[in-house]
Amino acid sequence: MNMQFALVIIWSSLVFCPALCFWVVRLVGKNPDKSLRRPLIISVGSLVLLSFAIAIGVSSTISYINFSALGLGYFAYCLIAASTQLIKNKFVRAAAFFVTNTPIVIGYVMATVDSLGLSFIVGDYAESPIKVQRISTSLTCEVHHWGMAASDSGYTVTLFESWHLLPIIQRRIYSVATNETHPTSGTPHASCENAFIQMQRDVTNQ
């Protein structure tokens, strides 16, 4: 995947989504006839769905879709955070505003002061795999490099299972990392073959 595209999506989301959402909420607040109920329900549903997909390892085989989904998810979160301005009780409003907007402030810092660190983080996820191996019709192995000069580095071997009815959807079913800087941390010399064998052993032992 083009790292610049991924970085533009993440950086733009961190910088512009909060301002846009706060403007929308302020606009709605001045027009009582307009309601945020439906957008907020959609936002909460989208965040729950995205969080669930991340938790169980579901993603798309197309990286552009994954990063776009993250951008939309952040927009949904910012809309929820901005809507705390409309809470009538001032103490609850202040507490909710502080809790929900702290991650947004951190995002702004990463997008501005620590933009180099952000580019390294995005780069680890946006970088194309150094190896892709088809194990079966529904099972694919990918090897991704991670790390940088100032920190530990290595690679991660991940097994993905695809859904034959919708091939662009995949689920991470096994992952093992090798730390090449400190070989004792993680699994030494991980490969697609031994990752598949280890996964079968784990399934058998369950």
Side-chain angles (χ1 to χ4, degrees):
M1 178 186 182
N2 189 333
M3 178 184 166
Q4 290 183 341
F5 177 84
L7 191 57
V8 166
I9 290 179
I10 300 301
W11 185 86
S12 299
S13 299
L14 292 175
V15 173
F16 296 115
C17 283
L20 178 60
C21 290
F22 274 88
W23 176 78
V24 169
V25 170
R26 283 294 182 91
L27 184 65
V28 172
K30 294 179 180 179
N31 295 273
D33 294 336
K34 296 183 180 180
S35 174
L36 278 175
R37 182 181 298 273
R38 183 174 296 178
L40 285 175
I41 291 175
I42 295 174
S43 296
V44 171
S46 300
L47 274 182
V48 171
L49 183 61
L50 181 61
S51 299
F52 180 71
I54 294 174
I56 64 175
V58 171
S59 61
S60 173
T61 57
I62 304 173
S63 297
Y64 296 100
I65 295 178
N66 294 328
F67 279 95
S68 297
L70 288 176
L72 291 173
Y74 189 68
F75 178 85
Y77 176 83
C78 289
L79 186 62
I80 296 171
S83 67
T84 59
Q85 299 176 89
L86 303 180
I87 298 175
K88 294 182 178 180
N89 185 295
K90 63 179 181 179
F91 297 107
V92 176
R93 181 173 65 247
F97 186 85
F98 175 79
V99 171
T100 58
N101 283 274
T102 298
I104 294 176
V105 172
I106 295 174
Y108 266 122
V109 172
M110 291 188 66
T112 53
V113 179
D114 194 26
S115 57
L116 182 60
L118 178 65
S119 66
F120 281 127
I121 294 173
V122 173
D124 274 346
Y125 289 95
E127 187 178 5
S128 299
I130 57 178
K131 179 182 179 181
V132 178
Q133 180 178 334
R134 174 76 65 176
I135 297 177
S136 66
T137 55
S138 61
L139 197 63
T140 304
C141 174
E142 292 186 3
V143 180
H144 288 265
H145 180 269
W146 53 265
M148 54 184 177
S151 67
D152 288 4
S153 62
Y155 60 93
T156 301
V157 179
T158 308
L159 300 179
F160 291 99
E161 184 179 36
S162 59
W163 188 30
H164 68 280
L165 294 178
L166 196 60
I168 66 170
I169 300 298
Q170 63 183 7
R171 183 172 68 90
R172 184 183 66 253
I173 59 175
Y174 192 81
S175 182
V176 60
T178 289
N179 188 320
E180 294 178 303
T181 305
H182 300 288
T184 55
S185 303
T187 302
H189 309 301
S191 66
C192 290
E193 290 76 13
N194 59 33
F196 179 65
I197 293 172
Q198 186 60 49
M199 182 194 69
Q200 290 182 313
R201 288 176 180 171
D202 291 346
V203 171
T204 303
N205 294 332
Q206 288 179 353

